[in-house]
Amino acid sequence: MTLSPPVPFSPELETFRANETETIDGLKDAFDAIMDKTANDYGHAVRSVHAKSHGILSAKMTVHSDLSNELAQGLFSQPGTYGVHMRLSTNAGDILPDTIALPRGLAMKVVGVRGKRLPDADGTSQDFVMVNGPVFQAVNAEKFLGNLKLLVKTTDRLEGTKEVLSSVLQTVNKGMEAIGISSPAIQSLGGAPNVDPLGETYFSVTPFRYGDFVAKFRLKPISAGLVELSGREVDTSTGDDAIRNTVQAEMLSIRAEWEFQVQLCRDVSKQPIEDPTVEWSESDTPFVTVATVAADPQDTWRAESVQEVDEMMRFSVWTGLAAHQPLGNINRARKATYQRSAEFRQSFNRCPIREPN
């Protein structure tokens, strides 16, 4: 099969909505309400989304040396090896027992990247923020704000009710998946499979500039120790932090390895920029590996790593190179809201948040 050529990057690929400023203000207010509630209850500020960490990993990214011209872009334009900080998480803005099954997240900070930076992007890192599903649950930031307002009302409350609801939704979700239907909405409410985060494949969900082109990103496990964990459910009856404890025990003996892949936009009618609910079909534009990420056996919950990464770092799609500019309405809304979350944590906890050297 002959693939269409990749779509050249152009600012005209983005379509701005008339109410984006008002929607972003509403998102900031909603996230403020979540952070105020959780910080006052916990006596410590946590992230407005993906508040609960399951593991902090130290890794290396090796950019491949044999990339074609269309793949050798931005960070991946030259072969090289970089240090990487990785954070595994669950997507809620409050710290919930692991019996409440929600989608997993993986954030990566690639350190020491050279090149023209995005506006207001401090340091020399390139961040990638991903989840274990290929699509987002809302078509745009306005729809996401409507969902978020419902979550604000239940933040850090009714844990017993959430556990019961999660159990019911997990059963519903499994039934739907058995007939080939996947529902990001049900999963985001607590119906996600309670899987081991080390075995998951992670997606950027939203598109990004890829130098001269446009792409989505994927991180796919390839080492035997990770592949055998794919789809494996964690026994969460052992405690509220069962997932964290499971990851910690597993990584003491596993050498983890992933492929970092890109999926180039080749037809904006099939691979839209502004609608992250549309999955880009791999038959139209396959994922291609551009780098390998590897982590040696380690303790994923060392106090020093938790302090350095979980407390003193922020992960944002807007931290990085201009060559990997986030695209689309959802990504545009993430800039101010991510910054707001980091500033709140820094102020409340009296702990500086900074980019690594």
Side-chain angles (χ1 to χ4, degrees):
M1 174 183 173
T2 302
L3 297 174
S4 302
V7 173
F9 168 75
S10 168
E12 283 70 38
L13 289 172
E14 293 190 277
T15 303
F16 288 76
R17 298 173 65 84
N19 62 344
E20 283 196 14
T21 300
E22 293 79 5
T23 299
I24 291 171
D25 287 341
L27 286 168
K28 289 192 288 189
D29 289 343
F31 282 129
D32 281 350
I34 291 173
M35 290 186 292
D36 281 335
K37 173 63 177 172
T38 55
N40 288 320
D41 282 1
Y42 305 153
H44 186 83
V46 296
R47 289 168 171 82
S48 54
V49 290
H50 289 274
K52 187 171 187 177
S53 296
H54 300 306
I56 305 297
L57 285 74
S58 176
K60 296 283 187 183
M61 171 183 276
T62 301
V63 177
H64 293 188
S65 59
D66 56 350
L67 300 179
S68 65
N69 290 336
E70 66 182 28
L71 295 174
Q73 301 285 327
L75 165 61
F76 309 96
S77 61
Q78 299 290 334
T81 300
Y82 302 89
V84 179
H85 298 287
M86 304 174 76
R87 178 180 183 263
L88 297 164
S89 63
T90 284
N91 75 347
D94 44 355
I95 307 295
L96 297 170
D98 288 345
T99 47
I100 300 173
L102 294 163
R104 307 284 183 244
L106 187 150
M108 296 174 53
K109 187 176 290 291
V110 184
V111 180
V113 176
R114 302 297 176 183
K116 182 181 178 182
R117 308 284 294 169
L118 287 162
D120 306 315
D122 295 332
T124 59
S125 300
Q126 175 66 51
D127 288 4
F128 298 98
V129 180
M130 295 178 279
V131 295
N132 64 332
V135 297
F136 195 66
Q137 73 264 34
V139 66
N140 55 47
E142 187 175 5
K143 293 292 185 184
F144 179 66
L145 175 58
N147 297 341
L148 188 63
K149 287 179 177 178
L150 296 176
L151 294 177
V152 169
K153 296 177 181 179
T154 64
T155 295
D156 203 28
R157 300 177 187 170
L158 306 174
E159 284 187 4
T161 302
K162 289 181 181 180
E163 288 185 77
V164 172
L165 177 62
S166 179
S167 178
V168 171
L169 291 177
Q170 285 179 66
T171 302
V172 171
N173 189 64
K174 286 178 180 178
M176 293 177 67
E177 289 187 337
I179 58 174
I181 301 173
S182 178
S183 173
I186 286 179
Q187 293 183 8
S188 69
L189 291 171
N194 222 336
V195 290
D196 189 321
L198 287 175
E200 291 297 280
T201 296
Y202 293 89
F203 302 80
S204 69
V205 176
T206 51
F208 294 78
R209 181 177 179 179
Y210 191 71
D212 295 334
F213 308 108
V214 174
K216 289 184 177 182
F217 305 120
R218 182 170 80 174
L219 191 71
K220 181 180 179 180
I222 56 171
S223 59
L226 295 185
V227 172
E228 71 178 19
L229 298 176
S230 179
R232 181 180 295 181
E233 296 201 21
V234 177
D235 179 6
T236 56
S237 67
T238 60
D240 289 350
D241 301 321
I243 298 171
R244 181 183 299 163
N245 296 334
T246 298
V247 169
Q248 186 179 29
E250 290 167 342
M251 275 303 300
L252 290 175
S253 59
I254 289 177
R255 186 180 190 275
E257 191 170 346
W258 299 263
E259 288 180 333
F260 190 94
Q261 302 177 318
V262 300
Q263 185 183 33
L264 293 170
C265 177
R266 299 179 184 276
D267 182 340
V268 292
S269 66
K270 294 181 179 179
Q271 296 113 40
I273 305 300
E274 297 289 343
D275 186 353
T277 66
V278 176
E279 183 174 359
W280 294 7
S281 170
E282 290 191 61
S283 62
D284 295 324
T285 176
F287 281 96
V288 183
T289 301
V290 295
T292 302
V293 179
D296 289 329
Q298 59 191 273
D299 182 353
T300 57
W301 204 248
R302 292 173 54 247
E304 297 86 347
S305 299
V306 172
Q307 179 64 22
E308 178 186 7
V309 178
D310 211 40
E311 293 295 330
M312 299 178 67
M313 287 186 193
R314 63 185 290 249
F315 293 88
S316 169
V317 294
W318 286 92
T319 297
L321 300 177
H324 298 309
Q325 174 189 332
L327 303 175
N329 172 263
I330 290 292
N331 272 338
R332 293 191 295 274
R334 293 164 99 177
K335 184 176 182 181
T337 51
Y338 279 36
Q339 180 65 32
R340 183 74 153 251
S341 175
E343 290 172 351
F344 183 92
R345 287 197 295 127
Q346 179 171 262
S347 175
F348 191 95
N349 297 337
R350 302 190 179 188
C351 176
I353 292 178
R354 60 197 180 199
E355 289 298 312
N357 295 324

